[in-house]
Amino acid sequence: MTTSSRGPGDSNSDFSPSARRSDVPVPPSGTTPDPDAVAGLHPDLARGKGIRGTRTGALWTALILGVLILLLLLVFILQNLDSITLELFGWDFSLPLGVALLFAAIAGAAIVGIAGGLRILQLRHAANRQRTLGTGR
């Protein structure tokens, strides 16, 4: 039984320079290579993170969405110009149907906004009270 030890000087294909991966850059000593990194790209871009959404981007998106909704409302109002009579607390109003529905939607949004604002104030007051009790002032 013979045992042979092979080293880099032997003609073994495992140690030949062509068998080594020379296309992978060697990281500086003390660092580990990033397995997700693609050559030449920033690590965040290589992982597909890219640029996150910003407040300005969200503002532009909301602005464009708002303009589209306003255009749809304008088309709705222009297609519903039939006059109707509303009776409210003894008063009689004669308005186009589209305008009356728009006023009803605005009133509903205002009611929801007021209720939401009051809830936010209630929660803020409770949080401030909790913070004051927690600090022992």
Side-chain angles (χ1 to χ4, degrees):
M1 183 171 151
T2 61
T3 348
S4 67
S5 135
R6 295 185 182 170
D10 295 339
S11 64
N12 186 357
S13 64
D14 292 339
F15 291 106
S16 66
S18 62
R20 289 188 216 144
R21 293 177 37 154
S22 62
D23 57 342
V24 177
V26 177
S29 64
T31 62
T32 57
D34 188 3
D36 297 331
V38 178
L41 288 179
H42 188 271
D44 287 343
L45 293 176
R47 288 188 206 105
K49 289 188 177 182
I51 298 173
R52 293 183 176 184
T54 62
R55 290 181 183 173
T56 306
L59 178 69
W60 274 107
T61 303
L63 181 68
I64 291 171
L65 186 64
V67 167
L68 290 175
I69 289 173
L70 283 176
L71 286 174
L72 289 174
L73 280 172
L74 180 64
V75 168
F76 176 76
I77 290 171
L78 290 175
Q79 288 182 349
N80 291 293
L81 290 176
D82 298 334
S83 185
I84 61 165
T85 302
L86 294 176
E87 297 177 13
L88 181 64
F89 301 122
W91 295 319
D92 292 330
F93 299 101
S94 182
L95 294 172
L97 176 62
V99 174
L101 290 173
L102 178 64
F103 285 159
I106 290 171
I111 291 170
V112 168
I114 290 170
L118 290 174
R119 179 65 178 151
I120 289 171
L121 289 175
Q122 182 185 27
L123 290 172
R124 185 177 295 163
H125 180 68
N128 286 337
R129 186 174 47 224
Q130 185 76 22
R131 191 176 308 123
T132 303
L133 292 175
T135 58
R137 289 184 196 180

